[in-house]
Amino acid sequence: MQDKEIIEKILEGQQDLYSYIVDKYKNKVFSIIYSFCGQTGDSEDIAQNVFIKIFKALPKFKFESEFSTWMYRIVINESITISKKNKQYIIPLNVNSENADESKNNLINLLKSKDNIEKQLIQQETQQIVQTAIKQLNDKYKTVLTLRDIEDFSYEEIAQIMNVSTGNIKILIFRARNRLKEILIKGDNL
């Protein structure tokens, strides 16, 4: 069943079908929330609130775009709002790592090698510097960098989510990366 069919049935009163939407999109929603808000104990609560907000907004969905595009707009806007309330903006640069358990298994091998430990510490320090620099970007730049470089959305998907042209997205990403580079080179507040 396609999203449109499911949503139409939900709007007709079959609200139990909403669990299909949640199951289908929960991993991507968690990933986006994590990218914007970082690892907080409230991640599940935030995701649950976002899904409730999406459910309540379903009657406003006009099928003028893909459901996922419309939904990701809500997720991003809510994530930005929450990150501002928490006065933090953390982008985990290794968010796309699928196998967290695999990295735990490699810990023993990592501890065996001093070089690997040093590389890991340098990588963590670099990640922290980049995260601090990203905090200084405006919301549009944070959003496009997160969606493109962290979440690996295509230019077209980002354009649909942000409701601008693909050309504008390419420009925003170019400017965001340049601004990030300036911040990193200048080194203020890092």
Side-chain angles (χ1 to χ4, degrees), residues 69-85:
T69 301
W70 177 81
M71 181 190 68
Y72 291 142
R73 272 188 219 135
I74 294 172
V75 174
I76 290 165
N77 289 338
E78 191 67 17
S79 297
I80 288 171
T81 301
I82 291 165
S83 68
K84 283 181 178 178
K85 283 181 185 175

Side-chain angles (χ1 to χ4, degrees), residues 89 91 93 126-138 141-142 145-146 149-150 172-188 190:
Y89 190 91
I91 294 189
L93 300 177
T126 302
Q127 182 177 357
Q128 193 170 24
I129 290 169
V130 172
Q131 288 174 350
T132 302
I134 289 173
K135 287 180 192 179
Q136 298 177 41
L137 297 174
N138 69 38
Y141 289 171
K142 290 175 193 174
L145 284 180
T146 299
D149 295 337
I150 308 300
L172 278 172
I173 290 170
F174 176 79
R175 289 178 180 168
R177 288 175 179 159
N178 279 341
R179 180 65 186 124
L180 182 61
K181 183 178 173 182
E182 289 172 8
I183 292 168
L184 289 169
I185 289 171
K186 192 173 179 185
D188 289 347
L190 297 180

Side-chain angles (χ1 to χ4, degrees), residues 14-85:
Q14 297 181 31
Q15 296 177 350
D16 57 320
L17 291 177
Y18 190 63
S19 64
Y20 289 108
I21 299 292
V22 173
D23 288 340
K24 182 176 181 178
Y25 292 106
K26 67 182 175 189
N27 290 340
K28 197 65 169 173
V29 168
F30 273 115
S31 182
I32 291 170
I33 290 168
Y34 183 74
S35 292
F36 279 87
C37 302
Q39 182 66 26
T40 68
D42 301 330
S43 294
E44 286 185 27
D45 291 338
I46 293 168
Q48 184 176 5
N49 288 337
V50 167
F51 277 116
I52 290 170
K53 188 172 243 182
I54 292 166
F55 179 78
K56 288 179 179 179
L58 274 180
K60 296 177 186 174
F61 180 59
K62 303 295 181 205
F63 301 99
E64 294 170 353
S65 66
E66 292 291 323
F67 170 73
S68 60
T69 301
W70 177 81
M71 181 190 68
Y72 291 142
R73 272 188 219 135
I74 294 172
V75 174
I76 290 165
N77 289 338
E78 191 67 17
S79 297
I80 288 171
T81 301
I82 291 165
S83 68
K84 283 181 178 178
K85 283 181 185 175

